[in-house]
Amino acid sequence: MEKKFVVGVDVGGQTSKLGIVNKDGNVVAQSVIRTDQTAVAEEFLSTLAKAIKDLLAGSKLSLEDINGVGIGAPNGNYYSGCIDDAPNVAWANGVKVPVAEILSGKLDGVKVTLTNDANAAALGEMQYGIAKGIKNFIMITLGTGVGSGIVIDGKLLYGADGFAGELGHTCVDNSPNARTCGCGLKGCLEAYCSAIGAAKTAKLWLIETTEPSSLRSLPLDQINSYEVYKAAKAGDALALKVFDYTGTILGTALADFVKFSAPEAIVLFGGLARSKEFLTEPITKAMNAHLLSIWKGKIKLLYSSLPESDAAILGASALAW
Amino acid sequence: MEKKFVVGVDVGGQTSKLGIVNKDGNVVAQSVIRTDQTAVAEEFLSTLAKAIKDLLAGSKLSLEDINGVGIGAPNGNYYSGCIDDAPNVAWANGVKVPVAEILSGKLDGVKVTLTNDANAAALGEMQYGIAKGIKNFIMITLGTGVGSGIVIDGKLLYGADGFAGELGHTCVDNSPNARTCGCGLKGCLEAYCSAIGAAKTAKLWLIETTEPSSLRSLPLDQINSYEVYKAAKAGDALALKVFDYTGTILGTALADFVKFSAPEAIVLFGGLARSKEFLTEPITKAMNAHLLSIWKGKIKLLYSSLPESDAAILGASALAW
């Protein structure tokens, strides 16, 4: 008999969110555990298994009622079921952790499926969100980093090894003074268009120019993309220019992604995407300026429509159907 | 009953090659017609239909013996069966020509399938060539332009509109003095790594430097990629540096393509790929330098293995099975 529920888990560096999701895409129960309290994978996965069982028990459900567990995690590999060296996850830093296998063992053999967080987001958007019915799209997650999930003919693109879709590490600046990315490469999209990249742009401009800005009243360490957003909202010219610069770089990069897979739409997701009122115009302008004529004005730019608190859980859960 | 033959047609700007291909991938008969003798599509397609019938008759075959006609053509669209504005093809310049429909009408309704030339090359390589058995690869054609055919899970990537895989027009130079490409955009891969782009590099360096080179004895108009190859072969330092520069740009771009679809291999094809003895090292070095650690040293760089004279026909014919 077909099961009526799945469990979705979103593994982040600090906390991991889990939820029980029904067929209609409603999160019927959810909880949060710490990811960063142990450097031992086995220990974290025991805590997670217990949290899943507790959550089910709280909803008067058991492992027998769920079709599977879907996990979205940094560097999660769909083919191998492993997290392959995730620097931001204490128990997966520099090592390969067979998450699906270990967790399934702790959950009476329930099927556990893993993918990276951006792929999970793309799946969630396709199953429950703005990308419903769109067969070809590229999901770009603008968070601490820049991730991507590429959907082709209604299916996630995994590639030969399960690692397809690392668009945050494509090169947007090949000049000698390009920024160095966390991955070690230079000029990566992520170094400019992640929440951290945008905040860095603001900080650099505050240092390099004398342009007045309300951001100057903040300690440098407190300037993040949300502060830049608030300043832009209040009309701060420097903050507005940060979004213009960030959107232009992103739009230019998106044009190259379109040349690869000719998607119907680009879907933006994540913290920085909440600044869409300042990003849409520069992104659209730069993307169309760098597209071949066959695509100019034709590629939709969409923003995630999932309720913020549920999005990551829903995305991960979509794996388990 | 299953038919034993297909016809492959490779439409080029000056000439079009056609051939009868059997199940084993042997070209059993072939001929060539001019593409550039008329600006009227209908007229060219009548000539082509007659050439197909004549070729079949010469092999004691008829339209009833063939499974279909496959055509590779610049800007050929698989979904629509049209050539959509191919500047280099006199009868398709600035217009959309329903090639598949018109030609099928002239061939008693035989099925005609169309795709662009780079996709056809990828299909040929997968069916008969070096990419046999490889499910995920990217074909890059280095000819007058730079084309690409992307294979994912054993299938050509067409995208939402049939135009996926325009990697020759991704940006490799975002600086203000980037070269302008024939497509109108700036800094395209094609402007540097096509046969014409490589020859242009040589010409510019001859003008901008005083470095001695055997190429200086040639009129500027006669310097093409083959002359640069011959000079490199004879040890000409400037010519060798042209290949180093071209290969480095290509390898850097390939690294970004890998980040998209995580292919098992890159397959190079076309006139410039014949200079592989000078290209392999800079391509491989630059590609690996710009790859994330998960891919470093793991992506195969292959060269087309199809007999030069048959490759285009075989590629196109692979569409018709």
Side-chain angles (χ1 to χ4, degrees):
Chain A
M1 207 185 73
E2 208 189 5
K3 311 291 175 74
K4 288 185 177 147
F5 300 94
V6 290
V7 168
V9 182
D10 173 54
V11 175
Q14 296 176 319
T15 63
S16 296
K17 297 174 202 122
L18 54 154
I20 304 170
V21 178
N22 68 15
K23 282 250 158 185
D24 300 326
N26 294 315
V27 180
V28 298
Q30 60 178 298
S31 65
V32 179
I33 59 173
R34 303 289 309 186
T35 312
D36 55 2
Q37 302 295 294
T38 173
V40 181
E42 184 83 29
E43 203 174 307
F44 170 77
L45 293 169
S46 289
T47 308
L48 177 58
K50 183 172 180 307
I52 290 173
K53 287 178 191 164
D54 288 351
L55 194 65
L56 288 167
S59 297
K60 301 203 162 62
L61 295 169
S62 76
L63 288 171
E64 302 197 340
D65 296 309
I66 61 170
N67 205 50
V69 176
I71 304 181
N75 290 354
N77 188 298
Y78 178 77
Y79 292 147
S80 68
C82 297
I83 294 183
D84 202 347
D85 183 11
N88 298 324
V89 176
W91 45 266
N93 185 5
V95 293
K96 188 170 180 169
V97 181
V99 169
E101 190 189 337
I102 297 177
L103 187 64
S104 179
K106 294 179 188 295
L107 294 174
D108 303 349
V110 160
K111 193 176 175 201
V112 177
T113 314
L114 185 73
T115 194
N116 75 42
D117 33 7
N119 283 343
L123 277 178
E125 222 53 61
M126 183 163 57
Q127 185 118 356
Y128 306 115
I130 192 83
K132 242 181 185 171
I134 301 184
K135 293 276 181 203
N136 292 278
F137 69 96
I138 299 176
M139 177 90 173
I140 303 285
T141 63
L142 304 169
T144 314
V146 173
S148 61
I150 300 159
V151 174
I152 287 168
D153 288 339
K155 287 192 302 187
L156 262 181
L157 171 59
Y158 287 113
D161 56 13
F163 288 118
E166 286 291 350
L167 302 184
H169 300 286
T170 55
C171 183
V172 298
D173 186 355
N174 59 355
S175 76
N177 48 4
R179 292 186 192 167
T180 298
C181 180
C183 72
L185 298 175
K186 288 195 75 176
C188 292
L189 178 63
E190 175 165 307
Y192 299 84
C193 297
S194 59
I196 288 174
K200 184 169 185 177
T201 301
K203 291 180 208 176
L204 288 173
W205 289 359
L206 289 171
I207 296 166
E208 289 163 5
T209 74
T210 54
E211 183 168 347
S213 167
S214 63
L215 294 167
R216 292 192 184 278
S217 64
L218 293 173
L220 213 53
D221 276 1
Q222 280 176 33
I223 296 175
N224 55 33
S225 64
Y226 184 57
E227 293 297 339
V228 182
Y229 170 77
K230 284 194 294 183
K233 196 84 178 151
D236 188 85
L238 186 141
L240 285 166
K241 271 188 278 185
V242 168
F243 284 110
D244 197 54
Y245 177 81
T246 307
T248 299
I249 293 176
L250 180 56
T252 306
L254 292 178
D256 277 357
F257 305 161
V258 169
K259 291 163 200 167
F260 203 101
S261 70
E264 184 181 332
I266 305 282
V267 182
L268 301 182
F269 177 96
L272 195 63
R274 273 176 269 164
S275 306
K276 63 177 165 183
E277 63 196 285
F278 303 119
L279 285 172
T280 300
E281 196 184 314
I283 291 173
T284 308
K285 198 173 153 194
M287 180 168 76
N288 284 313
H290 290 86
L291 280 176
L292 295 168
S293 58
I294 43 171
W295 289 307
K296 270 187 211 296
K298 291 186 186 158
I299 311 300
K300 294 177 203 149
L301 182 69
L302 305 174
Y303 291 86
S304 167
S305 65
L306 294 177
E308 188 94 20
S309 57
D310 297 351
I313 290 171
L314 283 174
S317 77
L319 269 177
W321 286 117
Chain B
M1 208 184 70
E2 210 189 5
K3 311 291 176 75
K4 289 186 179 146
F5 301 94
V6 290
V7 169
V9 182
D10 174 54
V11 176
Q14 295 177 319
T15 62
S16 295
K17 296 174 203 124
L18 54 154
I20 304 170
V21 179
N22 69 15
K23 282 249 158 185
D24 299 326
N26 295 316
V27 180
V28 298
Q30 60 179 298
S31 65
V32 179
I33 59 172
R34 302 291 308 187
T35 312
D36 57 1
Q37 301 296 293
T38 172
V40 181
E42 184 81 30
E43 203 174 307
F44 169 77
L45 293 169
S46 290
T47 307
L48 177 57
K50 182 170 182 307
I52 290 172
K53 287 178 191 167
D54 288 352
L55 194 65
L56 288 167
S59 298
K60 302 204 162 61
L61 295 169
S62 75
L63 288 172
E64 302 196 342
D65 297 307
I66 61 170
N67 204 49
V69 176
I71 303 181
N75 291 354
N77 189 298
Y78 179 76
Y79 291 148
S80 68
C82 296
I83 293 182
D84 203 346
D85 183 10
N88 298 325
V89 177
W91 44 266
N93 184 5
V95 293
K96 188 169 179 169
V97 181
V99 169
E101 190 190 336
I102 296 176
L103 187 63
S104 179
K106 294 179 188 296
L107 295 173
D108 303 348
V110 160
K111 194 175 174 202
V112 177
T113 314
L114 186 73
T115 194
N116 76 41
D117 33 7
N119 283 344
L123 277 178
E125 223 52 61
M126 182 164 55
Q127 185 117 357
Y128 307 113
I130 192 85
K132 241 182 187 171
I134 302 184
K135 293 276 182 205
N136 292 278
F137 69 96
I138 299 176
M139 177 89 173
I140 303 285
T141 62
L142 303 169
T144 315
V146 173
S148 62
I150 301 159
V151 173
I152 287 168
D153 288 339
K155 287 191 304 185
L156 261 182
L157 171 59
Y158 286 113
D161 56 14
F163 288 117
E166 285 291 349
L167 301 184
H169 300 287
T170 55
C171 183
V172 297
D173 185 354
N174 59 356
S175 76
N177 49 3
R179 292 186 193 166
T180 299
C181 181
C183 73
L185 297 174
K186 287 194 77 179
C188 292
L189 178 62
E190 175 167 308
Y192 298 85
C193 297
S194 59
I196 288 175
K200 186 170 181 174
T201 301
K203 291 180 207 175
L204 288 172
W205 290 359
L206 290 172
I207 295 166
E208 289 162 4
T209 74
T210 54
E211 182 168 348
S213 167
S214 63
L215 294 168
R216 292 193 185 277
S217 63
L218 293 173
L220 214 52
D221 276 1
Q222 280 177 34
I223 296 174
N224 55 33
S225 64
Y226 184 57
E227 292 296 338
V228 181
Y229 170 77
K230 283 194 296 182
K233 196 82 179 155
D236 188 85
L238 186 140
L240 286 165
K241 271 189 274 183
V242 168
F243 283 111
D244 197 55
Y245 177 81
T246 307
T248 300
I249 293 176
L250 181 56
T252 306
L254 293 178
D256 277 357
F257 304 161
V258 169
K259 292 164 199 166
F260 203 102
S261 69
E264 183 181 332
I266 306 281
V267 182
L268 301 183
F269 177 96
L272 195 62
R274 272 176 270 163
S275 305
K276 62 178 168 182
E277 62 195 287
F278 303 119
L279 285 172
T280 299
E281 195 185 315
I283 291 174
T284 308
K285 197 173 156 195
M287 181 169 76
N288 284 312
H290 291 86
L291 280 176
L292 296 168
S293 58
I294 44 170
W295 289 307
K296 270 187 211 295
K298 291 186 187 159
I299 311 300
K300 294 176 204 149
L301 182 69
L302 306 173
Y303 290 86
S304 167
S305 65
L306 294 177
E308 187 94 20
S309 57
D310 298 350
I313 290 171
L314 283 174
S317 77
L319 269 177
W321 286 118

